[in-house]
Amino acid sequence: MYDTARLEFLSRHFLLVGSSRNSFMNYIDVSVGKQVASFATKSGTLDVMCQNLQTPIIHTGHTNGTVSLWSPNSKEPLVKILTHLSSVKGIAVDDQGNYMATTGLDRKCRIWDVRMFRQLHAYSLPFGVADVSISQKLDVACAVGNHVQVFRGMHNGTCKEPYLVHNCGGVVTDLKFVPWEDVLGIGHANGFTSMLVPGAGDPNVDTLRSNPYETKSQRKEREIKQLLDKLQPELITLNPDDINKVNEGLLELEEEERKKILYIRPMAVQYTPRHKMRSKKSGWKMEARKNIIKDQIRLERNLEKHSAEDHFFEKPEEQVQPKKKHILDRLK
């Protein structure tokens, strides 16, 4: 990867995603060290990026105010949303994949419903916002210059003022909530600061999904299980329920191809056996081998045709013939 600006790791697929400043998107399978996909997005510098944990779709923000959704199976964006009238500076998606928060140079923090790609609420901030993060309890933290402002209730429209404000003494560049804890990590010009945000983390730890108290041996076992349960990149879709559905178009096409077998005239079987230089008087053996192969090919074609007939045409119910009476049946 060249001139990388942002990195994301898809843990269920073992994919390392890198966005570069020359508008290239790279997907690398770290379990086998293989590049899965690499393509140009033609969207300028990709320095704003995040992932949706529920559907491992990559969200990227651009200088024209749009947010694009990417998958390694498509070189074109799956969805493009016009989120701001100016450059997008921050994107965050909650753990459930329902809400997306975006910030831009238009001094707005907008909350979006990812399921319908519709804006729910918009909030005005003092000036340009650099980064944004969403906690497990849907608290939104915004980097506003040297300050960090935490808002509560942005997703349902009940937010009127910041819940917490903290001065870091330097320009804030990165924000990230710690899962299962009420802690916010802040990266700024003067270093790193951890900030307590009461009620931001989920107190009910799901040890099957993420165990913050796991030991060294448990971590090794978890990595082995994750490798065994690794999902293929082809399964990354915008709607995860598509995997459970039947591709009706492809199924109809296969049915039409099977129907053609019923009406195609049987082709002449052409087969020329290889001449063996073992003996000069082997003409009848060559003919016998030829007939055996021809009969085998005809049998396969007939079986295929009979299976298609049984599938498309219902067999008439066989009439049960009455059993002939035997002369000794009267003695039973």
Side-chain angles (χ1 to χ4, degrees):
M1 292 188 285
Y2 174 74
D3 200 11
T4 303
R6 291 278 181 173
L7 290 173
E8 287 286 343
F9 182 67
L10 309 182
S11 59
R12 287 179 291 179
H13 302 77
F14 279 85
L15 289 179
L16 181 66
V17 186
S19 61
S20 58
R21 293 182 177 86
N22 57 2
S23 82
F24 266 81
M25 187 83 72
N26 302 283
Y27 288 81
I28 296 178
D29 191 339
V30 298
S31 63
V32 295
K34 178 183 176 183
Q35 189 177 55
V36 175
S38 179
F39 50 87
T41 61
K42 302 177 183 179
S43 303
T45 303
L46 301 178
D47 55 353
V48 180
M49 183 176 71
C50 76
Q51 67 164 309
N52 189 338
L53 295 177
Q54 290 299 317
T55 61
I57 298 293
I58 298 297
H59 298 232
T60 58
H62 312 291
T63 55
N64 58 359
T66 60
V67 171
S68 301
L69 278 63
W70 300 93
S71 167
N73 306 315
S74 174
K75 295 184 179 180
E76 298 294 329
L78 304 178
V79 177
K80 251 187 176 181
I81 312 171
L82 180 60
T83 55
H84 294 271
L85 300 178
S86 61
S87 177
V88 179
K89 302 301 293 181
I91 307 175
V93 182
D94 72 311
D95 293 346
Q96 302 300 323
N98 298 331
Y99 301 101
M100 177 178 68
T102 60
T103 57
L105 292 179
D106 55 356
R107 301 188 303 172
K108 294 286 186 180
C109 178
R110 304 180 188 271
I111 308 297
W112 299 80
D113 190 334
V114 182
R115 296 162 292 186
M116 297 182 291
F117 305 109
R118 181 172 60 90
Q119 178 179 316
L120 300 178
H121 306 284
Y123 300 90
S124 298
L125 297 173
F127 48 90
V129 183
D131 197 14
V132 64
S133 180
I134 302 179
S135 72
Q136 292 177 322
K137 289 296 185 180
L138 301 180
D139 291 345
V140 180
C142 299
V144 185
N146 296 350
H147 294 77
V148 175
Q149 296 187 3
V150 181
F151 299 89
R152 178 160 292 178
M154 262 192 173
H155 63 287
N156 52 23
T158 60
C159 180
K160 302 297 181 183
E161 57 185 11
Y163 173 61
L164 288 175
V165 179
H166 179 67
N167 186 3
C168 298
V171 178
V172 180
T173 56
D174 297 286
L175 297 172
K176 188 67 176 178
F177 280 97
V178 179
W180 317 111
E181 295 184 14
D182 299 339
V183 178
L184 172 65
I186 306 169
H188 50 85
N190 296 331
F192 175 80
T193 303
S194 58
M195 173 183 172
L196 291 177
V197 182
D202 190 354
N204 302 316
V205 179
D206 186 1
T207 56
L208 293 177
R209 191 178 73 176
S210 174
N211 185 9
Y213 311 109
E214 66 182 2
T215 61
K216 187 176 181 180
S217 61
Q218 288 176 340
R219 180 177 60 82
K220 291 180 180 179
E221 291 292 333
R222 175 176 57 83
E223 291 177 354
I224 294 172
K225 289 180 181 178
Q226 285 180 340
L227 280 171
L228 294 175
D229 297 338
K230 184 181 77 168
L231 302 178
Q232 296 301 318
E234 291 79 11
L235 298 179
I236 298 178
T237 59
L238 192 62
N239 185 10
D241 294 334
D242 292 342
I243 301 174
N244 306 332
K245 297 179 181 178
V246 177
N247 191 344
E248 297 180 357
L250 182 60
L251 184 62
E252 292 178 358
L253 184 62
E254 291 179 353
E255 293 291 332
E256 292 295 331
E257 292 294 330
R258 288 195 66 186
K259 284 182 180 179
K260 292 180 181 178
I261 300 174
L262 303 174
Y263 308 105
I264 293 177
R265 183 179 179 181
M267 297 174 60
V269 179
Q270 300 293 336
Y271 174 72
T272 303
R274 184 171 59 88
H275 182 66
K276 297 180 181 180
M277 299 296 294
R278 293 181 182 176
S279 110
K280 295 181 180 179
K281 299 178 181 179
S282 59
W284 66 274
K285 291 184 179 179
M286 290 179 61
E287 191 67 23
R289 292 205 314 269
K290 185 192 298 185
N291 293 333
I292 291 173
I293 296 299
K294 285 185 176 181
D295 292 341
Q296 185 177 359
I297 295 175
R298 289 194 189 97
L299 179 62
E300 292 176 356
R301 290 181 179 174
N302 290 334
L303 290 176
E304 189 177 2
K305 184 176 180 181
H306 290 330
S307 65
E309 289 177 351
D310 295 342
H311 180 73
F312 292 109
F313 301 112
E314 295 182 358
K315 281 187 173 182
E317 295 183 0
E318 298 179 356
Q319 296 181 357
V320 181
Q321 296 181 357
K323 189 177 179 182
K324 293 183 179 180
K325 293 184 178 182
H326 195 265
I327 192 171
L328 299 178
D329 286 346
R330 58 189 182 84
L331 302 176
K332 290 183 179 179

